[in-house]
Amino acid sequence: MTTPEPASPARTLPGGLTVVVLALRFGTELALVGGAAWAAASTRPRVVVVAVAAGILAALAVAAVWGVAIAPNSRRRLADPLRLALEIVLFLVVAGGLAAVGHLPAAVVLAVAGVVAAVGVRFVEPAERAGVPPAEADERAHVPPPEPDGQLRRPRGPGRGRRRR
């Protein structure tokens, strides 16, 4: 069995900085969805219901694009150079929308923080992104899958695995 090569030092961040980058990433994801809703709702429609509906639809559209093409657990996740470009485009489009409706400071903060988080998360190891300490990630990589014993077992618990008669 071969041991995995250690990650290059130029591509990893120290532990404390990793937490900061991942927290920034989470915050910018939330701000992206909220910024899209805020920008769409601030277009000054005459009817309040239209403003609320526009905000909700914009937030859902951004969340759908993020969930399908960028999210770590997505089945259709894009490859990294294209995914990074899409992330940056999303942040810049929402920031442009915020700037267009007069929220320039929020637009600048969203654009800068979003691009920094999108690039910075590329320097975090995948195991650290999942919240697995590096030592456990190495152990998991070397553990062979368990041998099947030929029997399927039902989960046990309150009301589980019992047949009704």
Side-chain angles (χ1 to χ4, degrees), residues 15-92:
L17 194 55
T18 297
V19 171
V20 171
V21 169
L22 293 178
L24 179 66
R25 170 66 169 220
F26 181 66
T28 56
E29 289 175 20
L30 293 177
L32 180 70
V33 174
W38 189 16
S42 297
T43 57
R44 310 248 190 273
R46 295 181 184 193
V47 181
V48 174
V49 174
V50 174
V52 170
I56 290 171
L57 289 175
L60 288 175
V62 168
V65 169
W66 191 277
V68 169
I70 300 170
N73 292 334
S74 174
R75 289 185 220 167
R76 296 184 187 126
R77 187 177 192 197
L78 297 175
D80 204 9
L82 186 57
R83 187 173 72 241
L84 176 62
L86 179 62
E87 287 179 44
I88 291 172
V89 165
L90 274 176
F91 281 111
L92 294 179

Side-chain angles (χ1 to χ4, degrees), residues 55-151:
I56 290 171
L57 289 175
L60 288 175
V62 168
V65 169
W66 191 277
V68 169
I70 300 170
N73 292 334
S74 174
R75 289 185 220 167
R76 296 184 187 126
R77 187 177 192 197
L78 297 175
D80 204 9
L82 186 57
R83 187 173 72 241
L84 176 62
L86 179 62
E87 287 179 44
I88 291 172
V89 165
L90 274 176
F91 281 111
L92 294 179
V93 165
V94 171
L98 285 170
V101 295
H103 302 297
L104 189 60
V108 170
V109 169
L110 179 67
V112 171
V115 170
V116 166
V119 172
V121 80
R122 269 46 183 197
F123 294 96
V124 176
E125 288 297 314
E128 291 175 356
R129 284 185 224 160
V132 178
E136 284 184 36
D138 289 341
E139 289 174 14
R140 288 183 186 180
H142 299 297
V143 174
E147 293 290 326
D149 60 345
Q151 291 184 354

